[in-house]
Amino acid sequence: MNKLRIAVIPGDGTGPEVTTEALKVLQAVAALEKFQYELEHFDYGGERYLKTGEVLPEGAVERLRTFDAILLGAVGHPDVPPGILEKGLLLELRFQLDQYINLRPVKLYPGVETPLVGKGPADIDFVVVRENTEDMYCGVGGFLKKGTPDEVATQTAIYTRKGCERCIRWAFDFTRRRNNPKGRRLTLVAKTNVLTYGHSLWDRTFQDVAREYPDVEADYNHVDACCMWMVKNPEYYDVIVTTNMFGDIITDLGAILQGGMGVAAGGNINPDPGGCSMYEPMGGSAPKYTGQQVINPIAAIGAVAMLLEHTGQPAAGARVLQAIQAVTGTKMKSQSAGKMGYSTAEVGDLVVDALAAVR
Ligand code: IPM
Ligand code: MN
């Protein structure tokens, strides 16, 4: 494979600190697995917006599109009103780069505490495939009589056959590839009993595509019941496929099951040939902790593992994942900010040390 070209957006708050550790691990694993890569840093985020008044400058998307992948730290700045960076950067890149899969593994690493009493790493190990370009995220809607007692607001959920089919098909393929020894099961999570138009489209599409995958159990849960089962019986799940909004919500629940935002990573994936995907820790920019070296970099390092797995370096990705598990399993006291027993940089160093030992 040619040199891997990665665009790095460290972002705001503690984003740069965790990104530094993620890149430290990338450098170490590249040396061990003998692959080459190059980085280019971009200063997009709250600081730049406050200085220039623009979130992404002209031509930014076209430039980012030429990279094999993007590594994002975190965006979110206390002086920037909510929605601007989220819409102008994160959602903009997801949409413009057509990253129609949001892949969010829910995996409890050894040694990590879960709030679920009596559950361990063997029980909490599933993956959520969240559709990432449609639903209420499209920004379709408006106000009528704004600011009056008669105000009306609409926020329309858009679902297309193409949009749900490509996501569902990818999820079936992924379930097949994952090949869970306990059995391959893909659960559609939706709300077909109430959303009788949009989620009917999802359900019918799911049933159609399922016929092409007789080796995968095609299963269905209502989203409310799914929240209950994720807590009561997480071991039931193998792969979940769901809509953008529901995927957003249930993956926060998933994140806490696996030890919290310090651990959870995700990928915004455009699986088409030449597609540019973006990997990120799921946590925010945690501005109050900026520069204190207390934030857990495991999620950002996990994002690098995912990036490598999906960008032509699966052996390196697996190696990083193993090193992470060695560190959570034998070294770290906790996954919470300030309670790890180590600084942000020390956790990065521990993962680098563990890389050499695995395999
Ligand atoms: C996430 C976040 C984003 C989302 C926000 C920041 C726009 O919550 O990645 O889950 O809703 O998708
Ligand atoms: Mn979210």
Side-chain angles (χ1 to χ4, degrees), residues 86 90-91 94 102 104 130 137 248 280:
E86 291 86 343
L90 193 59
L91 298 182
R94 286 178 184 171
N102 194 330
R104 297 189 157 176
R130 166 186 173 190
Y137 279 79
D248 176 47
E280 51 174 342

PDB file of all heavy atoms in Angstrom, residues 86 90-91 94 102 104 130 137 248 280, ligand 1:
ATOM      1  N   GLU A  86     -20.659  22.268  15.781  1.00  0.00           N
ATOM      2  CA  GLU A  86     -21.246  20.951  15.519  1.00  0.00           C
ATOM      3  C   GLU A  86     -21.749  20.887  14.077  1.00  0.00           C
ATOM      4  O   GLU A  86     -21.444  19.956  13.334  1.00  0.00           O
ATOM      5  CB  GLU A  86     -22.424  20.682  16.473  1.00  0.00           C
ATOM      6  CG  GLU A  86     -22.029  20.475  17.923  1.00  0.00           C
ATOM      7  CD  GLU A  86     -21.891  21.784  18.713  1.00  0.00           C
ATOM      8  OE1 GLU A  86     -21.783  22.853  18.074  1.00  0.00           O
ATOM      9  OE2 GLU A  86     -21.888  21.727  19.956  1.00  0.00           O
ATOM     10  N   LEU A  90     -18.383  19.226  12.294  1.00  0.00           N
ATOM     11  CA  LEU A  90     -18.618  17.787  12.410  1.00  0.00           C
ATOM     12  C   LEU A  90     -19.677  17.299  11.411  1.00  0.00           C
ATOM     13  O   LEU A  90     -19.435  16.395  10.605  1.00  0.00           O
ATOM     14  CB  LEU A  90     -19.049  17.489  13.848  1.00  0.00           C
ATOM     15  CG  LEU A  90     -19.047  16.049  14.289  1.00  0.00           C
ATOM     16  CD1 LEU A  90     -17.665  15.449  14.143  1.00  0.00           C
ATOM     17  CD2 LEU A  90     -19.499  15.948  15.747  1.00  0.00           C
ATOM     18  N   LEU A  91     -20.854  17.912  11.463  1.00  0.00           N
ATOM     19  CA  LEU A  91     -21.935  17.457  10.576  1.00  0.00           C
ATOM     20  C   LEU A  91     -21.614  17.806   9.127  1.00  0.00           C
ATOM     21  O   LEU A  91     -21.906  17.036   8.217  1.00  0.00           O
ATOM     22  CB  LEU A  91     -23.281  18.061  11.006  1.00  0.00           C
ATOM     23  CG  LEU A  91     -23.745  17.673  12.417  1.00  0.00           C
ATOM     24  CD1 LEU A  91     -25.108  18.283  12.736  1.00  0.00           C
ATOM     25  CD2 LEU A  91     -23.807  16.151  12.604  1.00  0.00           C
ATOM     26  N   ARG A  94     -19.285  15.160   7.880  1.00  0.00           N
ATOM     27  CA  ARG A  94     -20.018  13.897   7.714  1.00  0.00           C
ATOM     28  C   ARG A  94     -20.852  13.922   6.435  1.00  0.00           C
ATOM     29  O   ARG A  94     -20.877  12.958   5.678  1.00  0.00           O
ATOM     30  CB  ARG A  94     -20.946  13.658   8.909  1.00  0.00           C
ATOM     31  CG  ARG A  94     -20.227  13.239  10.182  1.00  0.00           C
ATOM     32  CD  ARG A  94     -21.224  13.067  11.334  1.00  0.00           C
ATOM     33  NE  ARG A  94     -20.549  12.747  12.585  1.00  0.00           N
ATOM     34  CZ  ARG A  94     -21.148  12.722  13.764  1.00  0.00           C
ATOM     35  NH1 ARG A  94     -22.443  12.994  13.862  1.00  0.00           N
ATOM     36  NH2 ARG A  94     -20.474  12.421  14.851  1.00  0.00           N
ATOM     37  N   ASN A 102     -21.797   5.522  10.686  1.00  0.00           N
ATOM     38  CA  ASN A 102     -21.136   5.890  11.933  1.00  0.00           C
ATOM     39  C   ASN A 102     -20.994   4.610  12.753  1.00  0.00           C
ATOM     40  O   ASN A 102     -21.972   4.074  13.270  1.00  0.00           O
ATOM     41  CB  ASN A 102     -21.931   6.959  12.680  1.00  0.00           C
ATOM     42  CG  ASN A 102     -21.102   7.594  13.790  1.00  0.00           C
ATOM     43  OD1 ASN A 102     -20.230   6.946  14.359  1.00  0.00           O
ATOM     44  ND2 ASN A 102     -21.384   8.844  14.080  1.00  0.00           N
ATOM     45  N   ARG A 104     -19.799   2.501  15.783  1.00  0.00           N
ATOM     46  CA  ARG A 104     -19.495   2.722  17.193  1.00  0.00           C
ATOM     47  C   ARG A 104     -19.472   1.407  17.972  1.00  0.00           C
ATOM     48  O   ARG A 104     -20.507   0.925  18.432  1.00  0.00           O
ATOM     49  CB  ARG A 104     -20.510   3.703  17.787  1.00  0.00           C
ATOM     50  CG  ARG A 104     -20.403   5.063  17.106  1.00  0.00           C
ATOM     51  CD  ARG A 104     -21.203   6.139  17.764  1.00  0.00           C
ATOM     52  NE  ARG A 104     -20.634   7.445  17.425  1.00  0.00           N
ATOM     53  CZ  ARG A 104     -21.138   8.607  17.783  1.00  0.00           C
ATOM     54  NH1 ARG A 104     -22.228   8.643  18.521  1.00  0.00           N
ATOM     55  NH2 ARG A 104     -20.561   9.728  17.435  1.00  0.00           N
ATOM     56  N   ARG A 130     -24.618   3.193  12.966  1.00  0.00           N
ATOM     57  CA  ARG A 130     -25.571   4.302  12.966  1.00  0.00           C
ATOM     58  C   ARG A 130     -25.560   4.958  11.584  1.00  0.00           C
ATOM     59  O   ARG A 130     -24.494   5.332  11.094  1.00  0.00           O
ATOM     60  CB  ARG A 130     -25.118   5.298  14.046  1.00  0.00           C
ATOM     61  CG  ARG A 130     -25.753   6.666  13.990  1.00  0.00           C
ATOM     62  CD  ARG A 130     -25.110   7.614  15.013  1.00  0.00           C
ATOM     63  NE  ARG A 130     -25.608   8.960  14.835  1.00  0.00           N
ATOM     64  CZ  ARG A 130     -25.114  10.048  15.433  1.00  0.00           C
ATOM     65  NH1 ARG A 130     -24.100   9.932  16.283  1.00  0.00           N
ATOM     66  NH2 ARG A 130     -25.618  11.225  15.206  1.00  0.00           N
ATOM     67  N   TYR A 137     -31.196  15.020  11.369  1.00  0.00           N
ATOM     68  CA  TYR A 137     -29.933  15.747  11.241  1.00  0.00           C
ATOM     69  C   TYR A 137     -29.828  16.569   9.954  1.00  0.00           C
ATOM     70  O   TYR A 137     -28.879  17.331   9.789  1.00  0.00           O
ATOM     71  CB  TYR A 137     -28.756  14.763  11.309  1.00  0.00           C
ATOM     72  CG  TYR A 137     -28.411  14.389  12.726  1.00  0.00           C
ATOM     73  CD1 TYR A 137     -29.166  13.451  13.413  1.00  0.00           C
ATOM     74  CD2 TYR A 137     -27.343  14.980  13.384  1.00  0.00           C
ATOM     75  CE1 TYR A 137     -28.858  13.111  14.713  1.00  0.00           C
ATOM     76  CE2 TYR A 137     -27.029  14.642  14.684  1.00  0.00           C
ATOM     77  CZ  TYR A 137     -27.785  13.708  15.350  1.00  0.00           C
ATOM     78  OH  TYR A 137     -27.472  13.382  16.643  1.00  0.00           O
ATOM     79  N   ASP A 248     -27.509   8.113  17.734  1.00  0.00           N
ATOM     80  CA  ASP A 248     -26.845   9.096  18.592  1.00  0.00           C
ATOM     81  C   ASP A 248     -27.141   8.790  20.054  1.00  0.00           C
ATOM     82  O   ASP A 248     -26.240   8.746  20.899  1.00  0.00           O
ATOM     83  CB  ASP A 248     -27.336  10.503  18.229  1.00  0.00           C
ATOM     84  CG  ASP A 248     -26.749  11.558  19.143  1.00  0.00           C
ATOM     85  OD1 ASP A 248     -25.526  11.521  19.374  1.00  0.00           O
ATOM     86  OD2 ASP A 248     -27.515  12.409  19.644  1.00  0.00           O
ATOM     87  N   GLU A 280     -12.832   9.470  15.468  1.00  0.00           N
ATOM     88  CA  GLU A 280     -12.849  10.416  16.594  1.00  0.00           C
ATOM     89  C   GLU A 280     -13.129   9.709  17.913  1.00  0.00           C
ATOM     90  O   GLU A 280     -13.849   8.713  17.951  1.00  0.00           O
ATOM     91  CB  GLU A 280     -13.941  11.475  16.364  1.00  0.00           C
ATOM     92  CG  GLU A 280     -15.296  10.879  16.042  1.00  0.00           C
ATOM     93  CD  GLU A 280     -16.437  11.899  15.942  1.00  0.00           C
ATOM     94  OE1 GLU A 280     -16.292  13.015  16.440  1.00  0.00           O
ATOM     95  OE2 GLU A 280     -17.489  11.528  15.383  1.00  0.00           O
TER      96      GLU A 280
HETATM   97  C1  IPM B   1     -22.065  12.614  18.330  1.00  0.00           C
HETATM   98  C2  IPM B   1     -22.409  13.994  18.788  1.00  0.00           C
HETATM   99  C3  IPM B   1     -22.883  14.798  17.577  1.00  0.00           C
HETATM  100  C4  IPM B   1     -24.125  14.113  17.039  1.00  0.00           C
HETATM  101  C5  IPM B   1     -23.165  16.270  17.888  1.00  0.00           C
HETATM  102  C6  IPM B   1     -21.983  16.940  18.531  1.00  0.00           C
HETATM  103  C7  IPM B   1     -23.592  17.007  16.644  1.00  0.00           C
HETATM  104  O1  IPM B   1     -23.356  13.970  19.808  1.00  0.00           O
HETATM  105  O2  IPM B   1     -21.131  12.468  17.510  1.00  0.00           O
HETATM  106  O3  IPM B   1     -22.700  11.646  18.781  1.00  0.00           O
HETATM  107  O4  IPM B   1     -25.235  14.379  17.489  1.00  0.00           O
HETATM  108  O5  IPM B   1     -23.960  13.287  16.146  1.00  0.00           O
END
